[in-house]
Amino acid sequence: MFRTNTCGELRLSDAGKEVTLSGWVQRTRKMGGMTFVDLRDRYGMTQLVFNEEKDQELCDLANKLGREFVIQITGKVNERFSKNDHMATGDVEIIVETLNVLNTSEVPPFTIEDKTDGGEDIRMKYRYLDLRRNNVRSNLELRHQMTMEIRRYLDEMHFLEVETPVLIGSTPEGARDFVVPSRMNPGQFYALPQSPQIFKQLLMVSGFDRYFQIVKCFRDEDLRADRQPEFTQIDCEMSFVDQEDVISLFEGMAKHLFKKIMNVDLKGDFIRMTWQDAMKYYGSDKPDLRFDMKFVELMDVLKGSGFAVVDDAAYVGGICAQGAASYTRKQLDKLTDYVKRPQIGAKGLIYARIQPDGSVKSSVDKFYSQETLLQMKEAFQAEVGDLILILTGDDAMKTRRQLCELRLEMARELGLCDKKNFACLWVVDFPLFEWSEEDKRFMAMHHPFTSPKPEDIPLLDSDTGAVRANAYDMVINGVEVGGGSIRIHDSELQNKMFELLGFTPERAKEQFGFLMDAFKYGAPPHGGLAYGLDRWVSLFAGLDSIRDCIAFPKNNSGRDVMIDAPSSLDESQLEELNLQLTLKEK
Ligand code: ASP
């Protein structure tokens, strides 16, 4: 028997017991004639004691143990003289009687401690060692608890977990596909699913009624903190439902997770905000509502005073940062630089402080009377000590997005992004289409299977861009944690949709013929949603990047630096695949 107990288990009530423990050597300390060893496993850490006076030979052996040696000991549980409140096992120690070295270890390339000396690259290269660290492991434990709760909830709601294939054909969902060559079908390729969208819809045609899958999805996109080339979705679909049904069931799931995992009671219904309002007031389809700073438009108030930057702008709007009038000139210059950086692209920043006497002192005083500035103050309902920040621009949507970045930066600076505070909402009524300047055609904002709002169907031809979708996203703290839609289940409407998206009937048939055929055999009304598991876990764990809740993630260039993938193929493999490689010069 390798062990009677784990390293996180023993308490004062176990004092006197003979135990066997196995684990890794965290560290050793020699103090006079005593040697202390911290023994670690997944469950915790236990202090071992070796006494030179009692057994010189055993103690010598202990003194030779290096970090990360794997050992097995037997000994007696003893009450500790100086207890350690920070450790669950801190009241006891083991007086070791036998020591068996199960395996030695080279000196690890970084310290396996909560605060390690290893940088990102080295930790990724030796990810199996990084995963020994408490904080990394606990993220995966949290992930496990969450998937268990998700399965419990969905099972109770009669969802069936069904696996769908990973080697499929291309599905147009807005991102690039990863492709896999087929040996048995020379010159042909599978694509890895960006999501199981079509399969889950077909399962509804098959009468499965409620489907879910915790499933890997693949998108060949440029990577950011909240994106990985392969990521996990909690993918769901339901039949005979409308938008309200889907929203209420998945809001229920969100509340269930908050309660079970975080012990947070989310009271009342989540806020619903139309996409139009989200863009108008927050410049984003995923507004962070932990703080206010709603946009106020100032075209009416500020235009016509001879200040060209404002007079010639299509959009003039701002935010009011409470209590930030104390910002120094230097801080304001820094903010100005922030919005002017190329990624954001604003031309400049106008600011105004509300003075202790209630008057307004702005960076554009020479263009505006105090009366106009007071009207502006009124528009924000600003108070003494507040700071108003204004952007202008000739493209309203662009300027709103810039203002959104400024709002988020202010929130960070003012310490309003409390990770323990959760602001949940649904963004609804997304546009069905989005115009692509590049392709000079409409694209599906969500995907081509999303249904238009019935009342907007008459606009499909006449005012395509104005048609709203039966689509919804759940947003928490500015993160899109999931989204879905009610689907089209009528083959005629689906054909119309393909036509509006620029598919010729032949191409639509070629790509989606099977789906159109399926819809001819009694497709029920259906809809669903997919939650991003990685984003949920990182939100609950308070992480800045989803990478930290994935056991073996890829780096920013999409590489797994541990196994060194992707890599080249042998000539013989290419031969088997009937492929010849000619790399294009970039
Ligand atoms: N397949 C969609 C996505 O991956 C989610 C859905 O519509 O259910 O975004």
Side-chain angles (χ1 to χ4, degrees), residues 528-568:
L529 150 160
Y531 273 143
L533 178 64
D534 312 290
R535 289 186 185 171
W536 272 95
V537 180
S538 45
L539 192 77
F540 276 15
L543 302 171
D544 293 323
S545 164
I546 63 167
R547 208 180 314 179
D548 299 320
C549 68
I550 296 173
F552 299 104
K554 308 267 187 292
N555 74 6
N556 275 345
S557 343
R559 295 200 70 83
D560 183 323
V561 291
M562 183 183 68
I563 61 168
D564 198 21
S567 56
S568 320

Side-chain angles (χ1 to χ4, degrees), residues 364-391:
V364 287
D365 275 2
K366 63 175 174 206
F367 296 102
Y368 297 101
S369 65
Q370 187 57 217
E371 194 191 337
T372 307
L373 294 174
L374 286 172
Q375 274 174 23
M376 175 177 85
K377 172 185 161 191
E378 192 52 38
F380 282 100
Q381 297 187 328
E383 293 184 5
V384 170
D386 290 352
L387 174 71
I388 292 171
L389 298 166
I390 299 165
L391 294 182

Side-chain angles (χ1 to χ4, degrees), residues 173 194-198 200 217 219 231 233 235-237 446-447 450 472 480 482-485 487 527-531:
E173 295 224 24
Q194 294 184 27
S195 93
Q197 185 61 35
I198 291 179
K200 66 175 173 176
C217 299
R219 293 182 194 174
F231 59 97
Q233 284 196 342
D235 191 45
C236 307
E237 195 74 5
H446 187 211
H447 51 56
T450 294
Y472 32 81
E480 181 207 322
S485 60
R487 326 297 181 189
L529 150 160
Y531 273 143

Side-chain angles (χ1 to χ4, degrees), residues 8-105:
E9 205 179 341
L10 297 167
R11 300 288 181 272
L12 199 51
S13 54
D14 296 302
K17 275 189 194 155
E18 284 288 335
V19 295
T20 307
L21 301 183
S22 292
W24 286 262
V25 172
Q26 176 81 20
R27 65 180 87 83
T28 56
R29 289 180 305 279
K30 192 168 155 47
M31 287 166 80
M34 311 279 270
T35 297
F36 298 93
V37 174
D38 289 335
L39 189 67
R40 185 197 70 233
D41 65 11
R42 187 187 121 194
Y43 308 94
M45 201 137 71
T46 301
Q47 175 165 295
L48 313 178
V49 188
F50 297 81
N51 190 340
E52 217 173 67
E53 262 174 38
K54 247 182 81 192
D55 190 337
Q56 178 78 43
E57 208 178 312
L58 189 64
C59 207
D60 287 347
L61 193 56
N63 288 331
K64 285 196 201 106
L65 294 173
R67 273 181 185 262
E68 303 307 312
F69 275 38
V70 186
I71 63 170
Q72 179 194 36
I73 59 100
T74 59
K76 191 178 257 172
V77 183
N78 187 38
E79 178 169 359
R80 234 156 113 164
F81 178 67
S82 52
K83 304 200 167 41
N84 182 347
D85 298 340
H86 302 297
M87 271 168 85
T89 62
D91 287 349
V92 296
E93 60 194 4
I94 314 292
I95 310 291
V96 178
E97 285 151 13
T98 67
L99 164 63
N100 181 12
V101 176
L102 299 172
N103 213 340
T104 59
S105 168

Side-chain angles (χ1 to χ4, degrees), residues 402-574:
Q402 295 163 350
L403 198 51
C404 167
E405 295 297 334
L406 177 63
R407 175 177 178 269
L408 295 177
E409 178 64 10
M410 270 322 275
R412 284 188 287 266
E413 288 195 6
L414 297 174
L416 303 175
C417 301
D418 180 0
K419 285 186 174 166
K420 296 255 158 31
N421 183 12
F422 298 98
C424 311
L425 74 148
W426 291 98
V427 176
V428 295
D429 296 359
F430 278 80
L432 187 60
F433 300 98
E434 133 182 81
W435 179 255
S436 159
E437 253 326 302
E438 207 178 301
D439 298 303
K440 297 274 178 261
R441 69 170 179 90
F442 279 109
M443 313 277 259
M445 189 139 183
H446 187 211
H447 51 56
F449 318 108
T450 294
S451 65
K453 287 205 165 291
E455 61 270 34
D456 288 0
I457 290 182
L459 302 178
L460 277 172
D461 284 312
S462 57
D463 195 358
T464 315
V467 176
R468 293 166 305 160
N470 272 323
Y472 32 81
D473 274 0
M474 187 188 281
V475 176
I476 304 180
N477 296 358
V479 177
E480 181 207 322
V481 293
S485 60
I486 297 299
R487 326 297 181 189
I488 298 168
H489 66 281
D490 170 86
S491 49
E492 236 166 78
L493 185 56
Q494 186 65 71
N495 274 333
K496 176 82 203 163
M497 186 72 183
F498 288 141
E499 180 196 315
L500 290 166
L501 291 171
F503 285 80
T504 58
E506 296 73 40
R507 234 193 96 218
K509 193 162 173 8
E510 192 185 299
Q511 279 215 303
F512 301 110
F514 61 96
L515 185 74
M516 307 320 298
D517 284 346
F519 279 4
K520 290 180 195 149
Y521 295 95
H526 61 285
L529 150 160
Y531 273 143
L533 178 64
D534 312 290
R535 289 186 185 171
W536 272 95
V537 180
S538 45
L539 192 77
F540 276 15
L543 302 171
D544 293 323
S545 164
I546 63 167
R547 208 180 314 179
D548 299 320
C549 68
I550 296 173
F552 299 104
K554 308 267 187 292
N555 74 6
N556 275 345
S557 343
R559 295 200 70 83
D560 183 323
V561 291
M562 183 183 68
I563 61 168
D564 198 21
S567 56
S568 320
L569 292 185
D570 283 346
E571 210 34 65
S572 61
Q573 284 173 298
L574 286 172

